């Protein structure tokens, strides 16, 4: 048995995972960006070991008490539900871009440039069902002052708002999906956080926008990428991203079902696309191309050709 498998954090993760319907498939020693020891876990659904996700914590991290324990337990429960998706790693942006998230190097590390920030590296990839190689390597950063609102700089405490910050930055045209390239910055600033309400806010959306979003999510994550398997429509990460509640997402899903756009699984928050929804395939791919065009930097073609007055 590895040394890390015998640490306190390993036992805490195993207990939290089991309570949520997950199992620890493997645990190994790792290193964070600064070379500090970490514990790298592979979690899987107890009912389907093929559904897995990576989970990494600092080796000395202790979440056995109080608020820290509650957050990790909630993270595990959400993960267990999200892993029932056909592509648990995939998310949709308001621009209509289906992305997968991976290669995140937890926990946060201090900036090596001397800046007063904490940084986590990762990657977002375009998932259009065509084996696209377009991706964005990201460096998500937040100031030391802003980090004070986060209970811990570890994966279960930050993954949700970091993924949403990446989505929001993409929506703003400030991240480009490329075939290769350097890391692109994703600033996580106070504009995404309400100190008064003590919660993150990324987008103010209308009911109509949420209906469009959930319909597109079912189209892409189930119809295109998931073999028409049910996808979770009441994901708290989407609720945070859309500045709404889980209950409102459920009502939106029911409205979509009532219009024959999706088919809800019995007694669950999961849905599959109807033939009517899949009939809009051309429109969704056009929206995807428009979204990609929006994120690409534009240049003055005359200047590119050398036709300038300078």
């Amino acid at each position: 048995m590895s040394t890390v498998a015998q640490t306190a954090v390993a036992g805490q993760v195993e207990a939290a995972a089991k309570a949520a319907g997950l199992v620890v498939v493997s645990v190994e020693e790792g290193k964070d960006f600064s070379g500090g020891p970490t514990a790298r876990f592979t979690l899987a659904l107890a009912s389907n070991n093929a559904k897995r996700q990576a989970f990494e914590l600092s080796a000395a991290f202790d979440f056995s008490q109080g608020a820290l324990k509650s957050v990790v337990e909630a993270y595990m429960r959400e993960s267990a539900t999200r892993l029932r998706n056909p592509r648990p790693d995939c998310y949709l942006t308001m621009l209509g871009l289906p992305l997968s998230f991976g290669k995140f190097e937890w926990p946060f590390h201090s900036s090596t440039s001397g800046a007063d920030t904490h940084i986590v590296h990762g990657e977002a990839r375009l998932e259009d069902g065509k084996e696209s190689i377009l991706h964005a390597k990201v460096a998500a950063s937040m100031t030391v002052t802003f980090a004070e609102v986060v209970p811990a700089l570890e994966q279960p405490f930050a993954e949700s708002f970091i993924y949403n910050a990446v989505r929001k930055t993409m929506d703003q045209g400030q991240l480009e999906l490329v075939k290769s390239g350097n890391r692109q910055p994703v600033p996580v600033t106070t504009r995404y956080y309400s100190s008064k309400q003590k919660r993150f806010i990324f987008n103010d959306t209308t009911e109509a926008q949420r209906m469009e979003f959930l319909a597109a999510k079912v189209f892409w994550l189930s119809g295109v990428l998931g073999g028409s398997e049910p996808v979770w429509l009441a994901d708290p990460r989407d609720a945070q991203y859309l500045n709404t509640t889980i209950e409102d997402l459920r009502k939106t899903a029911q409205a979509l079902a009532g219009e024959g756009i999706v088919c809800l699984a019995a007694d669950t928050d999961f849905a599959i696309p109807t033939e009517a929804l899949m009939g809009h395939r051309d429109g969704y791919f056009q929206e995807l191309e428009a979204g990609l065009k929006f994120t690409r930097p534009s240049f003055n073609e005359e200047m590119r050709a050398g036709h300038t007055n300078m």
Side-chain angles (χ1 to χ4, degrees):
M1 182 179 294
S2 68
T3 302
V4 72
Q6 302 176 56
T7 62
V9 71
Q12 293 168 22
V13 168
E14 185 174 4
K18 183 177 180 180
L22 300 170
V23 294
V24 176
V25 176
S26 66
V27 55
E28 59 184 24
E29 297 174 8
K31 291 184 178 180
D32 62 21
F33 187 85
S34 303
T38 65
R40 293 177 177 171
F41 302 87
T42 299
L43 306 178
L45 277 178
S47 59
N48 183 356
N49 276 200
K51 294 292 188 72
R52 301 183 175 191
Q53 77 163 72
F55 183 70
E56 187 169 11
L57 293 172
S58 299
F61 186 63
D62 182 354
F63 63 89
S64 61
Q65 301 295 326
L68 296 182
K69 185 172 185 288
S70 298
V71 172
V72 175
E73 289 174 343
Y75 176 92
M76 291 291 185
R77 290 193 297 270
E78 286 183 17
S79 295
T81 304
R82 193 173 293 111
L83 279 171
R84 292 166 54 192
N85 285 329
R87 286 292 305 271
D89 59 331
C90 287
Y91 299 81
L92 186 72
T93 73
M94 293 284 287
L95 271 182
L97 302 177
L99 304 174
S100 64
F101 289 87
K103 299 182 180 180
F104 276 78
E105 302 169 0
W106 300 100
F108 284 88
H109 63 271
S110 298
S111 172
T112 57
S113 66
D116 190 25
T117 56
H118 294 295
I119 297 173
V120 64
H121 291 162
E123 183 176 283
R125 303 190 68 88
L126 180 67
E127 300 288 349
D128 60 359
K130 299 179 180 179
E131 297 185 0
S132 173
I133 61 173
L134 296 178
H135 66 282
K137 296 178 181 179
V138 301
S141 63
M142 59 181 176
T143 65
V144 172
T145 301
F146 183 62
E148 293 176 358
V149 307
V150 184
L153 301 181
E154 304 280 345
Q155 182 177 355
F157 302 88
E159 189 175 74
S160 178
F161 71 78
I162 289 298
Y163 283 11
N164 284 338
V166 172
R167 286 199 275 183
K168 178 68 174 182
T169 307
M170 186 74 70
D171 292 335
Q172 295 172 324
Q174 296 174 1
L175 273 180
E176 184 184 10
L177 294 167
V178 295
K179 294 180 180 179
S180 63
N182 297 324
R183 293 198 183 277
Q184 302 176 57
V186 174
V188 184
T189 69
T190 52
R191 65 184 176 181
Y192 295 147
Y193 187 78
S194 170
S195 57
K196 183 177 181 179
Q197 301 178 52
K198 298 188 182 303
R199 66 187 182 92
F200 288 90
I201 299 175
F202 291 94
N203 296 289
D204 288 323
T205 58
T206 64
E207 174 64 12
Q209 288 175 314
R210 292 191 289 273
M211 287 186 71
E212 292 175 1
F213 178 89
L214 288 188
K217 177 177 178 175
V218 175
F219 171 84
W220 284 110
L221 274 60
S222 176
V224 175
L225 303 174
S228 293
E229 294 182 22
V231 296
W232 190 23
L233 297 190
D235 191 330
R237 292 186 179 177
D238 286 339
Q240 183 187 77
Y241 177 59
L242 301 172
N243 192 23
T244 189
T245 64
I246 294 173
E247 187 55 39
D248 278 344
L249 288 181
R250 289 183 176 130
K251 291 178 181 177
T252 301
Q254 291 168 359
L256 287 172
E259 294 186 11
I261 297 172
V262 303
C263 181
L264 293 175
D267 301 321
T268 73
D269 294 324
F270 286 70
I272 60 174
T274 61
E275 289 186 12
L277 178 59
M278 297 309 295
H280 292 284
R281 182 182 182 89
D282 290 346
Y284 281 118
F285 273 91
Q286 289 171 7
E287 184 180 48
L288 181 147
E289 289 302 321
L292 289 175
K293 184 177 181 181
F294 177 73
T295 63
R296 295 189 186 111
S298 59
F299 300 93
N300 184 306
E301 293 302 323
E302 289 190 355
M303 292 183 65
R304 188 201 297 271
H307 302 155
T308 70
N309 294 321
M310 296 175 62

